[in-house]
Amino acid sequence: MDSYDVCVIGAGYGGATAAALLAHSGRRVALIEKTKVAGGKVQTVDRKGYRFEMFGAVGIPAHDSRFHELVEVLDIGDQVEFLIPEGDVASIRYKAPSGEWRTMYSPLQMTGAPEEMENLQRVFGASDEELEALAELYTTILSLEDEELEALDDVGMLEWMRPFGLPKGLESQICMNLNTLFVVPVDRLAASEAILTMRQQAMGGAGRYSVGGYGRLAEACADYVVQHGGAYLPKQRVHRIAIEDGRAIGVETDDGVLRAQAVISNAGIQPTVLKLAGSEHFPAEYIEFVKSLEPSWAIAGYRYVLDKRIFDAALIPIFSDQSWLDDERYEAMEQGSWPDVPLIAIDVPSEFDPSLSPVPGHQIANCQVFCSPDPESSMGEEAVRRAEQVLDELWPELRNHIIRKEPYGPKAISSLSRDSVLPGRGGEAVGIAQVVGQVGKSKPDARTPLTGLYLVGCDAGGRGAGTHQAVDSGFHVAAMVDADLG
Ligand SMILES: Cc1cc2nc3c(=O)[nH]c(=O)nc-3n(C[C@H](O)[C@H](O)[C@H](O)COP(=O)(O)OP(=O)(O)OC[C@H]3O[C@@H](n4cnc5c(N)ncnc54)[C@H](O)[C@@H]3O)c2cc1C
């Protein structure tokens, strides 16, 4: 029977980070991943020479991120090269209340330059006074002390923002950005999480990619584990967490049991506790807590390969004042009452790294819309259908240039990442929703009540948006496990 210091279930960004950092600390690690490639939801795949992510992937913040820190600690800068393009590589498409589409090109990092302010006035019709309200909002965001931020764990972001008196268009832009970052309703999005990420975005910009694909750093982490005495086992599903005398002692795969002093799971808190370990090993109140956790929404969309450059930017958010989502608007959508423009986010990886396409000039793009995390729900199909109508309006030539078009939604997300173990769960795009009541002290502890079992990834141990949160969690959980092992 193989024996390790630590078994890590799942090579998503949380699991891959924790595994590599523990290997860096001298621990013997087994990293077990059910799919072929490391990277979890943002793994990069190859389809006939075209490389792209299974789901959308752009890193925020662009500069000074946890990704940079990880590369530095592991000293693998020769294997992972970040791409942060300069110039106007984002292009907002805003449908004004008049019905007119307005376009705003901007850099990934706003500087507050006069031409940027003029653009905001032109696109959102903001007056000088209203721009001052925006400046006031950002000054407050940048100046809040840690304790003040912590006190906002229990405050919804919309409620926190409203007193600044932003005009409708600018409010729409910020709310759509927050929906895109956290995939939860802005009224219940914890202001502490939102402000932290808006601050990171203001200081570090909003778009990072890696040469060869966004999953590149996770792949390098898996290699690092192997180069430092451990094992990376792709295409191996963990069926059970092995438990003896009330503690986790390893994992069971098709090839038998791998023993370890600690088990770290990146498979999601609900699947880990309710399925892989089993409810009987935890106190009843913990099981109730785990079952009560609300997931983020899912994202449905299309991965496109195009035979020509159709999209003129790396990041293209498309919205109107009706598009951003709070609870009320999301529930209306669930009931069949949709906004004029469903909130659409298009990432164009080949604008970051043209070498993703084997044919020069071909474009790889990902069009994303929000929907229910329920793998059985058909809301995603409806969302994508409505999004396509908008794309037809904005890019009438798009349909004539599609070489490949892969649809996806909550079912695909669940099958690639976490199992659906409770009704309506599994397809969440991020993980446990970063809403009031589920962040800060109320967020699940990475150390579970079962001795030797830890959680990593977007459900526990980290802060920030998407993959940044997963890597942040990987840092904290690796340090926690290292200290516990002594
Ligand atoms: C469409 C879409 C677009 C997104 N866009 C962005 C974006 O632009 N930027 C961003 O930062 N974030 C984005 N996100 C969110 C981001 O992908 C996630 O927040 C992040 O990848 C989650 O990382 P994780 O480590 O928590 O887990 P995951 O990525 O979910 O990884 C979990 C891993 O565990 C493995 N696993 C599960 N069960 C088992 C088992 N039993 N045995 C073995 N292995 C197992 C899975 O195969 C998977 O590899 C997006 C998500 C989606 C769906």
Side-chain angles (χ1 to χ4, degrees), residues 56-70:
V58 176
I60 290 163
H63 298 276
D64 299 328
S65 69
R66 278 299 216 178
F67 277 59
H68 289 84
E69 215 176 317
L70 184 57

Side-chain angles (χ1 to χ4, degrees), residues 9-14 32-35 40-42 55-58 214 236-238 266-267 276 299 347 368 408 413 416-417 429-430 457-458 465-467 470:
I9 308 170
Y13 262 105
I32 307 118
E33 167 55 46
K34 71 178 182 193
T35 70
K41 294 189 180 81
V42 291
F55 306 116
V58 176
Y214 196 82
Q236 289 252 13
R237 179 182 267 274
V238 169
N266 191 201
L276 295 178
I299 295 175
D347 298 347
Q368 309 163 87
Y408 65 83
I413 296 174
L416 194 98
S417 55
V430 175
C458 284
T467 51

Side-chain angles (χ1 to χ4, degrees), residues 244-259:
E244 270 176 26
D245 301 327
R247 65 168 296 143
I249 55 103
V251 299
E252 295 174 24
T253 71
D254 281 339
D255 289 352
V257 175
L258 305 178
R259 282 190 83 94

Side-chain angles (χ1 to χ4, degrees), residues 444-464:
D445 194 338
R447 195 183 277 114
T448 75
L450 177 68
T451 308
L453 177 63
Y454 302 80
L455 305 165
V456 76
C458 284
D459 288 359
R463 297 187 70 183

